[in-house]
Amino acid sequence: MNHTAEPFRLLPGAAASPVILHVPHSSRVVPESVREGILLDDAALRRELDHITDSHTAEIAARAAAGCALTPWRFVNGLSRLVVDPERFPDEREEMLAVGMGAVYTRTTHRERLRADGFDGGPLLDRYFHPYAEAMTRAVADRLETVGRAVIIDVHSYPARALPYELHGTGPRPPVCLGTDPFHTPADLLAAAGKAFAGFGGTGLDSPFAGTYVPLRHYGRDPRVGALMVEIRRDLYTSEPGGPAGPGLLALAAALTELVDALVP
């Protein structure tokens, strides 16, 4: 968990594809310089990574992309969300600050101390969060310039049973949760996702997790940017927490392929 890795990768797709598969939470990599600021011992850190990582979602996205008629682009976080969480607001707008899980986490999934009280997350934001956000902004801008639109599909997973950090953990936990945004999630995108993932026992909207990722430069401003979060309940494809992938992974990748293909005329 403590070796070096690229902070993020943009894996090119077809020039004519508007789709970016965004995979922010699949990695378990924590650089040694970041590990030094984490209070957990190695065994506890491994357990936390088991709980917090969206295991195998990078593989789901890669297999899905390989099966598409027009290859989508992929933006993949190479570092654990325990380094920074690129999907959080970096300021007081972030509701997860209430449980110590803003852009830089200070508490664990079980609300234990992850970093020291008063920890200054500014250097981590400067080193990791802001460059990630800028690169994703450029990736979206490139799709807009080249194709005239961009569609971000956020690929996540979530536990079958709520963890203590969840602010909305008492709501429905469908096999596939579709996170939406009133400005950036058009009805046809939502309908295509519902159809593609219908075979897994049903989809739900914005529970237990809501919303989707759009770079702040475009958020609420540019209707040419569509976005949808796909939250896959982990018992569909893996043993929890942090276990190996099971046969459900291939079926989920095929469903994601179906969704992407439906978004390209």
Side-chain angles (χ1 to χ4, degrees):
M1 69 185 73
N2 297 322
H3 51 279
T4 58
E6 293 179 282
F8 50 81
R9 292 173 294 151
L10 176 63
L11 301 167
S17 176
V19 179
I20 301 172
L21 297 179
H22 181 220
V23 187
H25 294 157
S26 186
S27 177
R28 296 173 63 96
V29 174
V30 178
E32 188 60 43
S33 59
V34 179
R35 172 70 180 96
E36 293 170 357
I38 291 176
L39 301 177
L40 306 178
D41 64 29
D42 287 348
L45 178 55
R46 283 192 295 270
R47 289 193 297 271
E48 180 62 13
L49 287 167
D50 287 344
H51 286 295
I52 199 65
T53 304
D54 291 353
S55 298
H56 317 297
T57 49
E59 183 179 356
I60 291 172
R63 289 182 176 273
C68 290
L70 195 64
T71 304
W73 297 62
R74 282 180 289 143
F75 196 103
V76 182
N77 191 359
L79 301 177
S80 169
R81 63 198 292 193
L82 296 184
V83 180
V84 296
D85 191 333
E87 294 231 314
R88 303 287 200 242
F89 287 112
D91 52 35
E92 66 282 349
R93 288 173 292 178
E94 180 52 58
E95 69 170 359
M96 294 301 292
L97 284 170
V99 289
M101 298 182 82
V104 177
Y105 297 176
T106 57
R107 293 292 184 271
T108 70
T109 50
H110 290 73
R111 303 202 179 194
E112 298 166 346
R113 293 171 76 220
L114 180 71
R115 291 182 167 99
D117 295 341
F119 181 85
D120 179 10
L124 292 179
L125 294 177
D126 290 341
R127 183 170 182 181
Y128 297 110
F129 183 95
H130 297 306
Y132 186 108
E134 291 163 5
M136 186 66 181
T137 301
R138 289 194 300 271
V140 171
D142 181 70
R143 293 299 83 213
L144 292 174
E145 181 178 348
T146 305
V147 189
R149 65 189 181 107
V151 184
I152 303 166
I153 305 296
D154 233 1
V155 185
H156 291 258
S157 70
Y158 77 98
R161 298 182 63 180
L163 291 170
Y165 82 94
E166 295 183 25
L167 293 178
H168 310 289
T170 58
R173 304 182 82 81
V176 178
C177 162
L178 301 176
T180 68
D181 179 87
F183 187 88
H184 291 284
T185 309
D188 58 347
L189 173 55
L190 192 58
K195 181 176 182 293
F197 289 99
F200 297 94
T203 60
L205 296 182
D206 293 312
S207 177
F209 297 98
T212 187
Y213 180 85
V214 177
L216 290 177
R217 181 186 299 173
H218 307 286
Y219 183 67
R221 300 176 182 178
D222 195 335
R224 298 176 300 162
V225 180
L228 180 76
M229 179 170 66
V230 177
E231 285 270 7
I232 302 163
R233 204 176 63 205
R234 292 174 187 159
D235 59 349
L236 294 184
Y237 73 95
T238 187
S239 56
E240 298 185 70
L249 184 145
L250 296 179
L252 288 160
L256 186 55
T257 295
E258 179 183 338
L259 170 58
V260 174
D261 283 346
L263 302 178
V264 181

